[in-house]
Amino acid sequence: MTLQVRELDALASIDATQWDALHDGRNPFVAYAFLEGLERHGCLRRDWGWTPRHLTLWDGGELVAAAPGYLKTNSHGEFVFDHAWAHAYARHGMDYFPKWLFAVPYSPVTGPRLLARDDAWRRELLAAMAGHSAAAGLPSAHVNFHTDGEDALFGDDWLPRSDVQYHWHNRGWTGFDAFLADMDHRHRKNIRQERVKVARAGVEFRRLHGDEASSVELDAIHHFYRQTFAEYGNAPALTRDFIGHLARSMSRNLLIILAYLGGSPIAGALCLRGTDTLYGRYWGSDAVLPGLHFETCYYQGIEYCLEQGLARFEPGAQGEHKIARGFLPAFVRSRHWIADPAFRGALREWCAEEAEATRRYAASLARHSPFREAAGPAP
């Protein structure tokens, strides 16, 4: 075996079949079509802090392991917040950037990050991350939203962090009414009232996969996506070309939910579907109607999961209001390699304190479950 480590500045430099042979295809965010599409269709910009730098391992001419990676000059679009770390470096006259991030851009979604056929190659990949970061003089490397199975592969030199999201888990309900029947009276009544308000307003919904959506409908979902970013004063990263690319190349993974009033679209949610999970990513609206957000982003997605037999619905990061709608707290994880020994020691203590606070927070959230039979936070 002659193992070679190569850093790639574009996924287009390798073949899609080589990349996709390294994962099981269950998570759409690590698919070649998704990641390479972000690069090809103008979603990653250096002036926004994103420079592709993928790490790959080769055994002769065979790609045996890979990790989607990016050199970052800020923490934009990561969802694992390390601004306090950057400020601490600055106070000590040190550079925190550039850092090497191994993650999926703009996607706080748990999934495989160490793509390989077995754990031996994954460990080699982790060693290469740290070794090449040190050789390049980078202050840190980060692996965000990795899977639980991958977590055991990290050594003590990778500091652990955790956070809480809110996920819906299918308990085998036969439909939305059965889902509501497992809730206590107050939460069940509240959801029914929210849905009735939207229906009485005359709003109708369509759920379309990529191959079922016309260019007009793709235009509409991209408009709603841009609308939300404009309202918050942020720049939308996903281009209309990229949405069209998903509709063509990942047609059954792309799901758009459109709300119509008087025959015209007034709101929409953009989702991706994996083998057993629906991932809610973006939403936007031109109208302000009671319950419209909850119906578009949550209840339509739950109905889709029940119809399709999906096990889980992850509607996006943050939002304690999701608990009342059946989304319970779940832990998400990241790992961090810090080059400077002094900072590594200080941040190890910081991470331990954060982890304990996160565990207490998740336990307190779980006590507010809307279900009659309460469940603790997902591991």
Side-chain angles (χ1 to χ4, degrees), residues 5 37 55 62 153 177 271 306 343:
V5 181
L55 189 64
E62 180 185 7
L153 302 175
D177 286 340
C271 309
L306 291 170
F343 265 96

Side-chain angles (χ1 to χ4, degrees), residues 39-60:
E39 297 177 19
R40 180 151 47 99
H41 295 290
C43 303
L44 302 179
R45 290 170 37 177
R46 292 176 185 267
D47 57 329
W48 287 348
W50 292 93
T51 301
R53 185 66 59 84
H54 310 296
L55 189 64
T56 61
L57 301 185
W58 300 78
D59 183 6

Side-chain angles (χ1 to χ4, degrees), residues 176 179-180 183-198 291 294-295 299 302 322-327 370-371:
F176 202 91
F179 158 63
L180 290 182
M183 289 187 169
D184 60 45
H185 173 73
R186 180 172 66 87
H187 288 95
R188 181 168 61 248
K189 179 181 178 181
N190 180 66
I191 291 175
R192 283 178 173 158
Q193 288 177 337
E194 288 176 341
R195 303 201 80 185
V196 165
K197 289 177 182 178
V198 177
F294 301 133
E295 181 68 40
Y299 305 145
I302 290 174
K322 296 170 183 171
I323 296 176
R325 282 133 191 118
F327 297 85
F371 295 105

Side-chain angles (χ1 to χ4, degrees), residues 201-243:
V203 180
E204 299 178 336
F205 285 87
R206 297 184 67 194
R207 297 194 292 263
L208 303 166
H209 293 105
D211 56 356
E212 300 165 331
S214 69
S215 60
V216 173
E217 290 153 344
L218 295 176
D219 286 343
I221 198 64
H222 190 248
H223 161 74
F224 293 130
Y225 160 74
R226 291 176 59 87
Q227 180 72 11
T228 296
F229 277 77
E231 290 175 0
Y232 287 92
N234 295 324
L238 303 187
T239 63
R240 172 61 177 83
D241 285 345
F242 177 69
I243 301 301

